[in-house]
Every structure is written in C-alpha cells, then in structure tokens.
Amino acid sequence: MNDLMVQVDRQIQQEGGLGVHFPAEIEARFEHDIHVAHSHKLACMSAVAISIYVLFLLNDWRFRPDHMLEAIVIRVGVMTPIALICIYMLKRGVSPVLREMLMTALVCFAMIFTALLIQLSVSPHSFLDLFALGLIVLVGNVLFQLRFWYALCSSAFHFGVMLYLVNAHPSPYASAGFMALMVFLSITLFSIISNLRSEKAERLSYLLLLREQLRVEEFTEKNEEFRRLASIDPLTEVYNRRHFDSLVSSLLGKQVDSRLQYGVAMIDVDHFKSYNDHYGHVKGGLCLKRIATAIFESVHPDVDIVARFGGEEFVVLLPSSSSQQALARAEEIRRHVRDLALPHAGSSRHGIVTISIGVSAAGTGQGCSFETILKQADEALYRAKASGRDRCELFAQQDPQALGRAFAG
Ligand SMILES: Nc1nc2c(ncn2[C@@H]2O[C@H](COP(=O)(O)OP(=O)(O)OP(=O)(O)O)[C@@H](O)[C@H]2O)c(=O)[nH]1
C-alpha cells in the first residue's frame, strides 16, 4: 500500500472530528480534482445571488422610497459589477484561496452596502430590513458553501455589522432590534453548522472515491507488472518463448499468407557448455545476459522482437524483412556479440564468445507457416554450426546463391 493510500485511510477514520483540512498532498489533489467544477458552481450561484440582490429593489421601493436612487446605484451600479467581476474571475480560473476570498468578499460587500442603505434611510419601515440580513449569511454559508473557516470569519463579520446596526438604528419598538438580532444569530448558527456538515460530507465522499481510485490504480499497476514479469525471461530480460509465441500469432495471425514478409534469426551461443564448465554457471548466466543485451541493441526495438528461446538459444523476428535484409541484420547481431570480446578460454574461435545464426524468411510466395520458417532457420543454424560456428547462414532453398555468400567471422 503506498503512502497516499495510508494517509487516505487514516483520514477516513478521522472524518468524525471537526477538522476540515486534509494533509497537504490530499488537499492539493482534492482541490485539483474539484476546483473547476466548484468554481463553475460558484459562478452560477453568484449569478443567482446577485439577481435576488437586485430584485430586492422592490423591497427598497416599498420600505425605503426616500432613497430609491441610492438603492439603484448600490444594487445595480456597484454590487452587480462586483459580482460580474467575481464571476469572470471564477470562469477564467483562480487559485482555491483566491476563489474563497472572492466569494467571502462578495457577501461582505453585500452586507456593507445593505447596511449603508438601512443607515441612509429615514423611513420608519427601514428597520424591518434587519430581519432580512440573515439572507446574506445564508448566501455565504449555504448557497456558496464557503469553505468552513471562510464561512466562520464572514459570519463573525456579518454579526459585527448586525450588532452595529441594531445599536445605531433604533427601531420604533424597543424589542424589535433584539428580536432581529436573535433571528440573525440563529440563522448564522444553523447555517454555519450546515456549512460544516456539508463540507465534511463533501470531503468524506471525496476520500472514499479517492480510495477507490487509488485501489484501481494500484491493482492496474500490479497487473501490468505481473503481465510484464510473465512475458520476460528473468535472466536476460528479453521476452520469453511463451510471450514470443503469442506476439507472433497476434502479429502474423494463424493463417499462412504468402505475401506476408518477415525474417527469422535463430541464434545459438558457440561452445557454451565449455564456457559453463570453465567459468561456472553464474558467469555463464551473466554471459547470456550480455549477449541478450547485444542482440537487443542490434535490432529495431519498436519493430523487431527478441526472445530467449531456451538455454543459450535466442530468436529474433524481423517484420517486413526480406531474406537478404534479415541476413544483414543477423550479421550485425553476430558482429556486435563478437565486439563484446567476452573471453572464452574453451572456444575454438579466437578465444572469445561468439554466436552462430540461422536465418530464414517468409514472403517469397511459397506460403510457408511460421513453424516452417522457424524450422528452416533452425536448419540454417545447424549448418552454421557445422561450417565452423561464428557465422550467419541463410536457409539454402530460399536463395541457392546465398550458399556461397554466408557471412563468416
Ligand atoms: N549458465 C547457464 N547455462 C545454460 C543456461 N541454459 C543452458 N545452459 C547451458 O548451455 C549449454 C548448451 O550446450 P550445448 O547445447 O551442448 O551446446 P554448446 O556447448 O553451446 O555447443 P554448440 O552449440 O554446438 O556450439 C549447456 O551446458 C547448458 O547447461 C543458463 O540459463 N545458464
């Protein structure tokens, strides 16, 4: 289980507490995953909120007709452009902190300007608006779902403004101001609790989803690793025979197609038994690894397929190669292994490790199956061994003239 998974599990267990912040790595991932959708939702909610705020001009007209012009200026001329700027910035993309600050500022401005309107008016009904101020708190804490700490701070600010208004704007009835304050306090308290619960629920569902995602990722990675391990030879790290067979059948198909052109090179290390006898099995293994690397480096890895066929035998499939191209590639491989100059005291070939290669190719119009081509390459390999090793031989039937043109070291 990786570190992130452990952190997520621990966090899920702690979700009963009051915390509304993840450890840095999860928090960054959380914001990264929800940010765009969250900003979009906030932009839509801001549009709804500002529409309602402007609609309250009807309220101003009924209860504050003495300051209608100021109300229009504030609601349409000031607050609407502020809200539009916020929406524009949210749409353009801002950091999560700036996003929360913008939304908090928007509700605080709404509170300040509404307080200003209440203050300006001398209408005897204007104090009734003190009962409506709780709506602004609701917008921040419930509609915008400000992150908890921002919601708490803005609620405290709103409460301060409310306290000031109740004191500075005495209502005609002694207890009305107190009642408005109590209503406001209750709305603030309920909405802040609701805000906290929704943020925690949002975070918990994110954690559960993240845990599932991480499990799937881990499972997929392991699966890939198992698949890779099952397809490669552990010693030489080229493909094993089973994977080679499945690649061949998916590449060439089951049917014999006489137009399909490809070459096959069967490679065998010369005098490897005596290498093992002289240097030991462990060094023999290392030698095979070096040879496999040299073979791999001599082919086009995106196209050609290299596999260990078993023991000290390798095979290379060379798609889209004619017999002559395959022979030339086989010769490159042979030279590359020879250039390694791995000492081989028991070799008759210059005292270094060498390989023999048998080559055959399809696509000559004969319509041979892959098994037949492979057998032909094996026969050519047998001939390379018989002719003295450290050489490449092309299967004779395909190119009778090549008999005399086999590459030899
Ligand atoms: N170290 C090591 N040796 C291996 C491995 N697989 C096969 N061999 C050895 O490879 C040797 C193959 O020997 P032979 O098939 O007799 O042929 P050779 O000695 O290479 O002689 P020629 O092929 O005729 O040149 C055997 O001694 C095997 O034990 C391996 O994974 N590691």
Side-chain angles (χ1 to χ4, degrees):
M1 213 182 334
N2 63 29
D3 263 9
L4 188 58
M5 185 76 116
V6 174
Q7 282 188 47
V8 169
D9 270 344
R10 196 177 302 146
Q11 204 63 32
I12 287 172
Q13 279 155 21
Q14 289 171 1
E15 270 306 291
L18 267 177
V20 275
H21 201 81
F22 295 141
E25 192 181 352
I26 307 179
E27 186 68 28
R29 207 169 161 144
F30 170 64
E31 277 301 347
H32 173 268
D33 290 349
I34 60 121
H35 184 57
V36 174
H38 194 62
S39 294
H40 175 74
K41 191 185 82 185
L42 281 175
C44 295
M45 292 306 116
S46 303
V48 172
I50 196 63
S51 308
I52 301 290
Y53 192 77
V54 171
L55 207 64
F56 260 67
L57 276 173
L58 291 173
N59 195 52
D60 298 325
W61 176 58
R62 292 281 297 186
F63 297 110
R64 215 175 283 122
D66 54 325
H67 282 86
M68 229 10 236
L69 183 64
E70 287 86 342
I72 292 171
V73 169
I74 283 177
R75 292 189 192 275
V76 182
V78 180
M79 274 310 289
T80 303
I82 291 177
L84 289 178
I85 290 170
C86 288
I87 292 171
Y88 171 74
M89 289 181 76
L90 287 170
K91 283 284 180 194
R92 254 194 69 208
V94 289
S95 71
V97 172
L98 188 54
R99 177 194 73 208
E100 294 303 312
M101 285 172 78
L102 277 176
M103 292 295 95
T104 308
L106 188 61
V107 284
C108 288
F109 276 131
M111 182 56 105
I112 291 167
F113 286 120
T114 311
L116 190 66
L117 275 176
I118 296 172
Q119 276 293 89
L120 285 175
S121 177
V122 290
S123 158
H125 302 300
S126 187
F127 83 96
L128 285 172
D129 253 358
L130 294 180
F131 289 93
L133 285 180
L135 288 176
I136 296 177
V137 181
L138 284 179
V139 168
N141 297 355
V142 179
L143 191 70
F144 289 173
Q145 278 287 318
L146 289 174
R147 293 285 173 238
F148 178 68
W149 293 109
Y150 289 88
L152 197 65
C153 290
S154 66
S155 297
F157 172 79
H158 298 325
F159 191 69
V161 174
M162 184 68 184
L163 268 180
Y164 168 79
L165 284 175
V166 168
N167 284 317
H169 198 87
S171 67
Y173 314 100
S175 54
F178 180 74
M179 192 178 169
L181 195 64
M182 288 309 289
V183 170
F184 186 87
L185 188 65
S186 308
I187 291 174
T188 305
L189 214 63
F190 296 153
S191 63
I192 207 80
I193 291 170
S194 148
N195 176 282
L196 177 64
R197 286 173 60 178
S198 352
E199 181 164 352
K200 285 183 78 62
E202 182 190 0
R203 284 175 178 270
L204 180 61
S205 62
Y206 177 79
L207 284 175
L208 295 172
L209 203 72
L210 182 58
R211 185 167 65 177
E212 283 319 297
Q213 258 176 20
L214 291 174
R215 279 181 182 162
V216 170
E217 274 170 26
E218 197 181 21
F219 179 76
T220 315
E221 263 171 35
K222 277 195 180 143
N223 219 11
E224 283 295 311
E225 183 60 10
F226 285 142
R227 229 180 317 181
R228 197 186 70 81
L229 288 176
S231 68
I232 62 159
D233 169 56
L235 174 70
T236 59
E237 290 179 7
V238 294
Y239 290 136
N240 57 28
R241 182 164 187 174
R242 189 157 46 97
H243 192 62
F244 179 80
D245 288 344
S246 84
L247 283 178
V248 164
S249 67
S250 63
L251 264 176
L252 306 179
K254 294 267 176 244
Q255 284 135 342
V256 175
D257 184 342
S258 60
R259 291 159 304 168
L260 214 58
Q261 199 168 50
Y262 60 88
V264 173
M266 287 289 286
I267 303 168
D268 190 278
V269 185
D270 297 328
H271 300 303
F272 199 60
K273 186 176 175 330
S274 73
Y275 188 95
N276 269 336
D277 293 346
H278 194 271
Y279 297 97
H281 215 74
V282 176
K283 283 221 167 124
L286 290 175
C287 176
L288 287 178
K289 198 170 159 59
R290 301 272 311 265
I291 292 171
T293 309
I295 296 171
F296 194 75
E297 284 170 358
S298 313
V299 300
H300 297 306
D302 335 336
V303 188
D304 304 333
I305 299 168
V306 180
R308 185 180 178 197
F309 229 43
E312 24 70 273
E313 214 172 45
F314 296 89
V315 63
V316 182
L317 178 77
L318 302 152
S320 312
S321 293
S322 66
S323 56
Q324 289 307 317
Q325 286 168 326
L327 185 63
R329 180 54 46 80
E331 178 54 17
E332 270 176 50
I333 295 171
R334 187 187 69 79
R335 277 185 198 284
H336 199 147
V337 172
R338 212 164 181 273
D339 290 347
L340 294 176
L342 300 171
H344 187 345
S347 169
S348 57
R349 307 295 308 179
H350 319 290
I352 55 168
V353 172
T354 58
I355 54 173
S356 298
I357 308 180
V359 177
S360 184
T364 55
Q366 294 166 4
C368 294
S369 69
F370 178 73
E371 283 69 30
T372 309
I373 301 294
L374 203 61
K375 214 188 257 174
Q376 291 172 352
D378 208 33
E379 274 178 39
L381 172 63
Y382 181 78
R383 231 183 39 236
K385 289 275 182 186
S387 322
R389 298 178 174 81
D390 186 23
R391 62 179 55 226
C392 302
E393 284 281 344
L394 183 65
F395 179 65
Q397 263 180 16
Q398 288 182 327
D399 186 0
Q401 295 147 340
L403 271 170
R405 283 198 274 114
F407 290 102

